[in-house]
Amino acid sequence: MSVGFPDRLRAQTYPIDCAILLCLSGGWPASVPCSRARAEFIRRITPWPVEPPLQIWRCPMAASYSPGAERSPAARLYDIMNEGDETPLPYSSPLPQTSLWSEVMPAVFRGGATPPDTLPDGFALQFVQERADIDISGPEFNFVRSIRVYDVRYARQRESGRDGDCNRTAVVSLGTYGIQGDFSWSRSSPTALPAAHVGLERWGESCPNIWHRSVFVDWRDYEGNYGFEQVNY
């Protein structure tokens, strides 16, 4: 059963992470809403700090999810984007028409920002669980788990000493998504960076001088197509 929201919360029922989720699954189609969603996706990995690019816990998918209903992820998200419309357009493709996205904007729920009596019961809790509020363990949500964030804090390689010893130091962290969209960091290394990453191609070869810092994110959309972005700093 769908949850109804007051008109004054209409803008807040369109969190940017629902737009990121839907646009990412569709391979970032060309549209103003998806351009905005992608810009926010990249902004979050632009230092500092480096944030999870998709914060799926901020997209209230349970609001329009009916247990047992045979509906695709895109259809469920489409329902979310249309929540509150008296005459929503029929779902006919993985992505809604641009006109439906004209009110997409970030939704931020922090202590005291919104009176608690203006939100449906349990709604605010969805934003602190740091995981999806429905079961996304199925293969149709593999595109969420495909997202990887490589935070190359620094990678330095240079010769030093009379004997020309090669000194290499690096701090690299890898951010990944779990089964239910929870995000976590783990230690990584320059050799684990994807082939699309640029700047450390000669790492480990003889000893050319290298000094590199970047954040790299890659993903695969719903159909398995590969995409990536890199921010050097």
Side-chain angles (χ1 to χ4, degrees):
M1 176 180 252
S2 294
V3 177
F5 294 90
D7 290 342
R8 59 187 167 178
L9 288 182
R10 179 171 175 73
Q12 292 178 326
T13 65
Y14 294 85
I16 193 67
D17 284 278
C18 291
I20 292 174
L21 190 62
L22 192 55
C23 293
L24 173 66
S25 71
W28 302 108
S31 69
V32 171
C34 284
S35 294
R36 292 173 179 169
R38 181 162 180 155
E40 175 62 14
F41 184 86
I42 302 304
R43 184 203 66 77
R44 290 175 177 174
I45 66 155
T46 303
W48 290 85
V50 178
E51 305 174 53
L54 168 63
Q55 298 173 17
I56 196 170
W57 48 91
R58 294 184 179 273
C59 179
M61 291 184 283
S64 64
Y65 173 59
S66 300
E70 295 296 328
R71 295 180 63 74
S72 69
R76 296 175 192 171
L77 288 169
Y78 179 83
D79 286 346
I80 295 167
M81 303 308 292
N82 282 288
E83 184 63 47
D85 282 352
E86 295 182 359
T87 57
L89 296 180
Y91 173 79
S92 60
S93 69
L95 293 168
Q97 296 184 26
T98 300
S99 60
L100 295 175
W101 291 56
S102 59
E103 297 183 65
V104 173
M105 61 186 301
V108 179
F109 294 93
R110 294 195 174 96
T114 305
D117 59 349
T118 62
L119 296 175
D121 291 341
F123 185 81
L125 182 61
Q126 298 169 1
F127 292 85
V128 298
Q129 289 178 330
E130 296 192 352
R131 57 183 291 171
D133 63 356
I134 66 169
D135 181 11
I136 65 166
S137 60
E140 66 272 19
F141 281 97
N142 281 345
F143 69 92
V144 172
R145 291 178 286 274
S146 76
I147 303 171
R148 301 178 298 177
V149 182
Y150 292 86
D151 183 4
V152 185
R153 298 289 180 87
Y154 67 85
R156 182 173 61 187
Q157 174 180 274
R158 64 179 181 178
E159 289 186 358
S160 63
R162 293 181 179 179
D163 297 329
D165 294 336
C166 190
N167 290 335
R168 298 185 182 96
T169 57
V171 175
V172 182
S173 298
L174 171 61
T176 56
Y177 287 85
I179 296 298
Q180 296 301 334
D182 47 303
F183 186 84
S184 62
W185 291 101
S186 61
R187 299 179 71 174
S188 189
S189 68
T191 57
L193 290 165
H197 181 275
V198 176
L200 289 173
E201 295 80 7
R202 302 182 65 190
W203 182 267
E205 292 183 8
S206 60
C207 200
N209 287 339
I210 294 176
W211 170 252
H212 181 81
R213 301 178 73 182
S214 66
V215 180
F216 181 94
V217 59
D218 65 359
W219 63 85
R220 291 191 180 275
D221 65 20
Y222 184 77
E223 295 183 345
N225 300 307
Y226 183 72
F228 67 91
E229 287 282 350
Q230 180 172 331
V231 178
N232 296 326
Y233 64 99

